[in-house]
Amino acid sequence: MSEAPAASPWRRLRHSLRLRLVLLFLLLALAMSVAFIGGVGKALSAGWRGATEPLFVDYADRLVDELGTPPSIARAQALAERLPLAVRISGPAVNWVSGPWPRHGPPWARAEEEGGAGASAMRARNTVSRQTSDGHRVEFSLKTWRADDDKKNFVWFTLAALLALTALAYGVVHRMLRPIRDIGEGVRRFGAGQFEPPIRVRQGAHADELSDLAHSVNRMAADIHQMLDAKRDLLLAISHELRTPLTRARLNAELLAEDADTAPTRAALLRDLAQMRDLITDLLESERLASRHAALQREATDLPALAHALIGDMAALRAAAADVPVHVAPSLTAPLWLDAGRTRLLLRNLLDNALRHTPTGAAPPELHLGVADNGHVLIEVRDHGPGVPPEQLARLTEAFYRPDDARQRSTGGVGLGLYLARMVAEAHGGRLTVRNAEPGLAVRAEWPAAAVPAES
C-alpha cells in the first residue's frame, strides 16, 4: 500500500489550530514590541529636541551676525538649507522668506519682550526674532513639533496601535474559535434529544482540527440517534409480542374456578395482569408519542364529561377515586378540539399518581379544568400528600424516574405516569409543569386550544 503524500507546511498550519494560535500570538507580540519600541524611540528623540531648543534661542544672535548687515539673502538661503530652520527677513532693504512658514515651532508658549543695550529681541510662540542695528527684523522658526506635544502624540499613537492590534487579534481568535460555539450548541441540542440539524462543519480549505471534532460529534450523535431508534423499535416489538400471551394469561385466570380458596389468588393474579397490561400500553403509547411522526386523532371533546366518565371507571377499581372533586372554570363552555384518547390517558395517569400518593385520612386529590386567558387548555391535578424535595421536581417527568424518599416502587408506580402525561401535553404543542403545592404536589398540563372546525 502506497503511503499518503506528506502534507505541506502551509497545509499543516491551516489545519492545526494550535499552530495558528501560537503563530498569531508571536506575531502579536512582535507587532506590539515594534509599536512600543518605536513609540519610545520617538518620545526620546522628541525629548532630545526639547533639550536642544533652548540652546537654539541663545544661538539666534550668532545666526543674525552670520547673515551680516544688511542681511544677506544668499547666506540666509544657505542657512535654511543647512539647518532645519525657516528664515524670514523684513526691513528697509531686504524682504525675503525661505519658504512656507511652519505652523508649529519651538516650545515657547508666550511672547515676552527682552530689552538690551542698542537692540531689542522678542520671543514668540512660533518664532525667535531678532532686531538688527540697521532696522531689519530676522525671524527663525524650527521645522519640528513641539517636544511636549511630540511625547503626548507618540504615547497616544503607541497606545492606539496596541489597542488596534489587540482588537485585531481578538477578531481573528473569535473567528477561529467560532466552531467551538457551534459544537457547544450542537451538544446541548443533542443532549435534549434534538438530533437535527447537525453541527455545521467547515469543508475544503477552511477545514481544521475543530472541523474534525465537529464531524466526530455529528457521527457520535448519528450513532446515538440510531441506537435510540433501535431501542424504540425493539421496545415496540417486545410490547406488541407480550400482548398476546398476556391476553391468554388473563383469559385463563378469569376461567379459573372461583371459590373461597382460590378467590384471593385469582383476584391478585388478575390485578397483576391488569397492571402489566397498563404498563405495556403506557410503554407503547410513550414510544409512539416520542416518534417524530406521532399523529393526534383530534375530535370535538367535552373535557368535563370526559373527566367525569374517567373518574367513574377508576372508582370501580379504586373507591377513593369517587371522592375526587372536579372544578370546571366558567371559561370552559365549549367543546375542545383535541385527542380524546390521549387526553383521557393523561388524566388517568395524573389522577392515578395523585391517588397513589395521598395518605390515609388526607383530603382527596383535586382536578381543575379550564381555559386560560391566552386560550390554552388547562388541566391541573393536585394531591395533599407529602410532596417531593424541590431539587427533584425537574426530574419527575423523566421516564422511569422515582424519588428516593416519598415515591417508591412499593407504592405501585414504575415512573411512567408523569412522563407519559408530559409526552401527551407536548404532542398537543404544550407543556407539563410540576410544583409543590404545600401540602402536596400540583401537576399542570396546558396547550393551545385548537378551534373546532366548522361542519361542511
Side-chain angles (χ1 to χ4, degrees), residues 123 129 140 151 176 180 186 188 198 287 317 364 372 382 449:
R123 290 182 181 179
S129 63
F140 303 100
K151 294 179 182 178
M176 291 171 59
I180 292 181
R188 287 190 292 271
E287 294 303 324
L317 299 175
R382 178 196 171 177

Side-chain angles (χ1 to χ4, degrees), residues 66-387:
E66 185 177 342
L67 294 179
T69 305
S72 171
I73 295 178
R75 293 179 183 179
Q77 181 69 41
L79 186 65
E81 293 175 355
R82 188 174 77 252
L83 299 175
L85 293 175
V87 183
R88 182 163 56 188
I89 304 173
S90 57
V94 180
N95 287 282
W96 177 84
V97 64
S98 62
W101 199 251
R103 294 185 178 182
H104 301 279
W108 306 296
R110 61 188 179 89
E112 58 177 317
E113 296 286 345
E114 289 186 354
S120 64
M122 176 181 288
R123 290 182 181 179
R125 174 177 173 81
N126 295 325
T127 63
V128 175
S129 63
R130 292 292 186 267
Q131 195 77 22
T132 64
S133 58
D134 59 357
H136 287 85
R137 182 188 181 105
V138 182
E139 298 176 272
F140 303 100
S141 180
L142 281 174
K143 298 177 181 178
T144 59
W145 292 86
R146 195 175 172 194
D148 292 340
D149 292 339
D150 282 341
K151 294 179 182 178
K152 293 179 180 178
N153 291 336
F154 284 115
V155 167
W156 285 112
F157 173 79
T158 303
L159 180 59
L162 294 178
L163 291 177
L165 290 172
T166 304
L168 178 63
Y170 174 80
V172 174
V173 172
H174 185 76
R175 177 178 176 84
M176 291 171 59
L177 299 183
R178 183 183 302 170
I180 292 181
R181 296 193 301 275
D182 295 338
I183 294 172
E185 293 175 359
V187 169
R188 287 190 292 271
R189 190 169 61 251
F190 297 158
Q194 302 174 5
F195 295 95
E196 295 293 339
I199 300 171
R200 182 176 57 185
V201 179
R202 295 179 179 179
Q203 303 291 342
H206 298 287
D208 55 16
E209 292 169 325
L210 292 180
S211 301
D212 296 342
L213 176 60
H215 182 72
S216 299
V217 174
N218 282 337
R219 186 167 60 247
M220 178 191 68
D223 293 341
I224 294 175
H225 195 191
Q226 184 177 3
M227 291 171 57
L228 291 176
D229 287 341
K231 183 268 297 183
R232 182 176 292 112
D233 294 340
L234 177 62
L235 189 58
L236 288 173
I238 292 176
S239 299
H240 277 295
E241 293 300 323
L242 285 176
R243 277 187 162 184
T244 300
L246 184 62
T247 301
R248 289 199 301 266
R250 182 175 178 82
L251 180 61
N252 292 331
E254 290 177 346
L255 294 177
L256 289 176
E258 186 174 2
D259 52 35
D261 295 332
T262 61
T265 303
R266 179 177 180 273
L269 180 59
L270 289 174
R271 185 171 59 252
D272 291 341
L273 291 173
Q275 184 178 357
M276 292 176 62
R277 178 198 61 200
D278 292 341
L279 175 60
I280 292 175
T281 300
D282 288 350
L283 284 172
L284 287 171
E285 192 61 30
S286 65
E287 294 303 324
R288 291 193 189 102
L289 290 172
S291 172
R292 291 173 293 177
H293 307 291
L296 297 178
Q297 303 297 324
R298 293 181 183 266
E299 57 182 313
T301 304
D302 186 339
L303 186 58
L306 179 68
H308 285 292
L310 172 64
I311 290 174
D313 293 342
M314 294 180 66
L317 299 175
R318 181 178 294 178
D323 299 328
V324 174
V326 180
H327 303 282
V328 181
S331 57
L332 186 55
T333 57
L336 301 172
W337 191 248
L338 46 79
D339 190 320
R342 283 167 172 160
T343 302
R344 178 185 173 92
L345 181 62
L346 179 145
L347 288 169
R348 176 177 67 81
N349 284 342
L350 294 186
L351 290 173
D352 183 69
N353 183 77
L355 288 169
R356 192 164 55 247
H357 302 294
T358 297
T360 303
E366 302 173 7
L367 173 60
H368 298 266
L369 307 175
V371 176
D373 295 337
N374 58 2
H376 285 199
V377 179
L378 296 180
I379 300 174
E380 181 173 288
V381 175
R382 178 196 171 177
D383 62 50
H384 296 85

Side-chain angles (χ1 to χ4, degrees), residues 29-45 154 158 162:
L30 178 61
M32 293 177 69
S33 300
V34 170
F36 180 75
I37 294 173
V40 171
K42 291 292 185 179
L44 290 176
S45 65
F154 284 115
T158 303
L162 294 178

Side-chain angles (χ1 to χ4, degrees), residues 381-451:
V381 175
R382 178 196 171 177
D383 62 50
H384 296 85
V388 297
E391 63 273 11
Q392 296 181 351
L393 287 175
R395 300 196 59 192
L396 286 181
T397 58
E398 296 179 5
F400 302 107
Y401 177 78
R402 293 176 304 277
D404 296 331
D405 47 5
R407 297 168 183 255
Q408 299 290 339
R409 184 183 296 272
S410 59
T411 60
V414 295
L416 272 179
L418 294 181
Y419 168 73
L420 188 55
R422 176 172 68 86
M423 300 302 295
V424 172
E426 291 178 354
H428 281 86
R431 60 176 183 167
L432 188 81
T433 57
V434 183
R435 62 181 176 86
N436 278 318
E438 298 180 358
L441 193 72
V443 184
R444 167 177 289 196
E446 59 177 298
W447 60 79

